Amino acid sequence: MELSKKMQDALNEQIKEEMASAYIYLAMAAYCESINLPGFARWMQAQSNEELEHAMKFYGYIHERGGRVVFQALEQPQAEYDGPVDVFEKTLAHEQYITGCIHNLYGLAMEEKDYASMGLLQWYVDEQVEEESTAGEILDTLKLIGDKGQALFMMDRHLGSRE
């Protein structure tokens, strides 16, 4: 069964959102490098790569279903932040936004009785639970330790160990 035009367009929009997420996280990585937090930067680079993988999963799925991928322009991401806490507040807010996008896609798939898309999107629903939880835990820790001092150095080393 081919994708409906409506579902194809919505999935193409989600590719844009995933690519924008990668761009946002790479900009956050650049910011973290600029304030001498290489571990935070590495974590954000890994997050950016993960978002690209998510986009490519949608890309492949659209083609599998006989659809057409059409790319859209991305906005310039924010370049400056007020420190690591601000970075992770924005990260958590962005992940919550993406969760809403995925839920809307799932709702559309239900409305169209597109069971194949529901199967794909369930993976993303589960992934977003993990994404929000991880960002929230890091944010909570940063709020506890603050933006300065030895604890921040230790956190930077910990985040830099992300594969």
Side-chain angles (χ1 to χ4, degrees):
M1 175 181 170
E2 246 182 58
L3 281 173
S4 72
K5 172 84 168 108
K6 191 173 182 181
M7 182 58 77
Q8 176 183 283
D9 291 347
L11 291 171
N12 272 310
E13 178 66 26
Q14 191 59 38
I15 287 175
K16 181 187 113 185
E17 295 293 351
E18 300 294 339
M19 298 293 277
S21 296
Y23 208 30
I24 288 166
Y25 293 135
L26 200 54
M28 288 176 170
Y31 168 77
C32 290
E33 289 281 1
S34 78
I35 61 167
N36 199 28
L37 290 173
F40 280 77
R42 182 176 172 154
W43 193 93
M44 286 296 173
Q45 289 169 1
Q47 190 66 24
S48 177
N49 289 337
E50 189 174 294
E51 301 304 337
L52 289 174
E53 290 173 14
H54 295 171
M56 292 308 296
K57 188 171 182 150
F58 280 118
Y59 177 97
Y61 178 76
I62 291 170
H63 285 291
E64 276 184 322
R65 295 284 308 278
R68 169 97 195 275
V69 172
V70 178
F71 292 107
Q72 302 169 38
L74 301 178
E75 291 182 23
Q76 181 178 352
Q78 181 176 338
E80 298 300 325
Y81 295 88
D82 292 328
V85 171
D86 186 37
V87 167
F88 273 92
E89 285 174 343
K90 299 275 188 328
T91 297
L92 178 57
H94 184 73
E95 290 301 336
Q96 291 167 336
Y97 167 75
I98 294 298
T99 296
C101 293
I102 297 297
H103 289 178
N104 290 340
L105 273 173
Y106 197 95
L108 176 61
M110 287 177 60
E111 179 184 304
E112 297 208 346
K113 295 184 167 84
D114 184 343
Y115 302 108
S117 291
M118 282 190 270
L120 171 78
L121 292 166
Q122 185 59 53
W123 182 89
Y124 284 94
V125 168
D126 296 340
E127 176 70 7
Q128 284 308 119
V129 169
E130 180 186 324
E131 297 282 5
E132 285 188 32
S133 175
T134 300
E137 287 172 12
I138 293 169
L139 178 58
D140 288 345
T141 301
L142 282 169
K143 285 180 175 179
L144 185 65
I145 67 172
D147 276 358
K148 306 259 184 287
Q150 187 173 355
L152 183 63
F153 173 75
M154 299 298 284
M155 182 83 175
D156 186 62
R157 292 192 66 188
H158 170 70
L159 291 179
S161 68
R162 180 178 180 183
E163 295 293 322

